Amino acid sequence: MAFELPPLPYDYAALEPTIDEATMKLHHDKHHAAYVANLNGAVDKHPDLGKKTPEELLQNLDSVPEDVRAVVRNNGGGHVNHTMFWQIMKPKGGGTPTGDIGSQIDTDFGSFEDFKKKFNEAAAKQFGSGWGWLVYKGGKLEIITTPNQDNPLSQGLFPILGNDVWEHAYYLKYNNRRPEYLAAWWDVVNWDEVNKRFTQAKK
Ligand code: MN
């Protein structure tokens, strides 16, 4: 297989009570696994695609053969988005952001509280399934949202942090209360990993 499902970097129950064990099992073992399987299905038809990283595929969707372009966009996106998502969370995470990303958030949004409010509002408003993102554009942090599994890489932007607002990410525990999930999610953010991604975004 060209692409593989990465193991979850902690136990399914490790993010309790913020994210419940049942949600993590389904989200990783079923949803993420399906994106990887579907992406590999596209590689079966066009083996050259397997020579690229999934990030490279998303950065150059125009170069992906038309008959599998939507499959790669949706499932390559699903794979890359979720691989990041597991990494930017950790048990006993949260707190005030540290390091360079902490100071950049203060510079560009005034304070961490103001940033969270703005991010949560944007992600709450994303109609239907999608993601809320923090990206770095023209020397400044910016909050954007995308529908479905679209990744900022396809717009030439590097995702520093992203939260999944598909119902599968929160419905078992929070039901239709997306804003409650968004508010709670910051308790599991891994700011060390987000700082690494910010360094990469600045390159
Ligand atoms: Mn998801």
Side-chain angles (χ1 to χ4, degrees):
M1 284 295 119
F3 300 110
E4 278 179 31
L5 177 67
L8 201 63
Y10 32 73
D11 291 339
Y12 296 108
L15 303 181
E16 294 259 13
T18 308
I19 305 181
D20 58 291
E21 181 176 8
T23 295
M24 289 300 286
K25 271 189 183 158
L26 284 166
H27 203 172
H28 178 271
D29 294 5
K30 303 293 179 193
H31 292 278
H32 190 173
Y35 298 127
V36 174
N38 292 334
L39 180 60
N40 283 327
V43 180
D44 286 343
K45 288 186 195 159
H46 299 277
D48 278 357
L49 295 175
K51 292 178 192 154
K52 297 195 173 158
T53 66
E55 288 84 359
E56 285 168 343
L57 294 175
L58 297 177
Q59 280 167 331
N60 301 288
L61 282 171
D62 287 350
S63 67
V64 173
E66 211 176 341
D67 64 320
V68 295
R69 196 173 296 155
V71 173
V72 169
R73 176 178 178 171
N74 293 330
N75 295 280
H79 179 35
V80 170
N81 295 348
H82 289 86
T83 301
M84 172 212 68
F85 191 56
W86 314 132
Q87 288 170 352
I88 61 158
M89 299 191 289
K90 69 170 185 179
K92 299 195 178 77
T96 306
T98 48
D100 285 354
I101 195 65
S103 13
Q104 194 73 41
I105 284 173
D106 288 344
T107 302
D108 292 338
F109 298 100
S111 70
F112 179 47
E113 286 308 312
D114 288 337
F115 160 66
K116 276 198 295 191
K117 193 168 175 272
K118 220 176 155 192
F119 186 98
N120 291 350
E121 278 170 7
K125 271 190 224 152
Q126 168 59 37
F127 185 74
S129 298
W131 289 73
W133 303 98
L134 179 65
V135 298
Y136 194 59
K137 192 180 178 184
K140 283 186 82 171
L141 295 172
E142 217 171 275
I143 294 162
I144 63 167
T145 60
T146 60
N148 308 314
Q149 294 295 352
D150 287 354
N151 187 291
L153 288 170
S154 304
Q155 305 173 32
L157 298 170
F158 185 85
I160 298 167
L161 166 159
N163 194 1
D164 187 347
V165 296
W166 282 58
E167 283 183 344
H168 68 224
Y170 61 86
Y171 210 86
L172 291 182
K173 182 180 167 82
Y174 297 91
N175 306 136
N176 62 329
R177 302 182 304 280
R178 186 192 287 185
E180 211 177 291
Y181 158 72
L182 286 164
W185 181 72
W186 300 101
D187 289 344
V188 292
V189 171
N190 179 348
W191 288 110
D192 292 335
E193 189 59 32
V194 175
N195 261 300
K196 281 187 206 162
R197 297 184 66 87
F198 182 41
T199 305
Q200 216 174 323
K202 285 187 283 188
K203 279 177 188 165

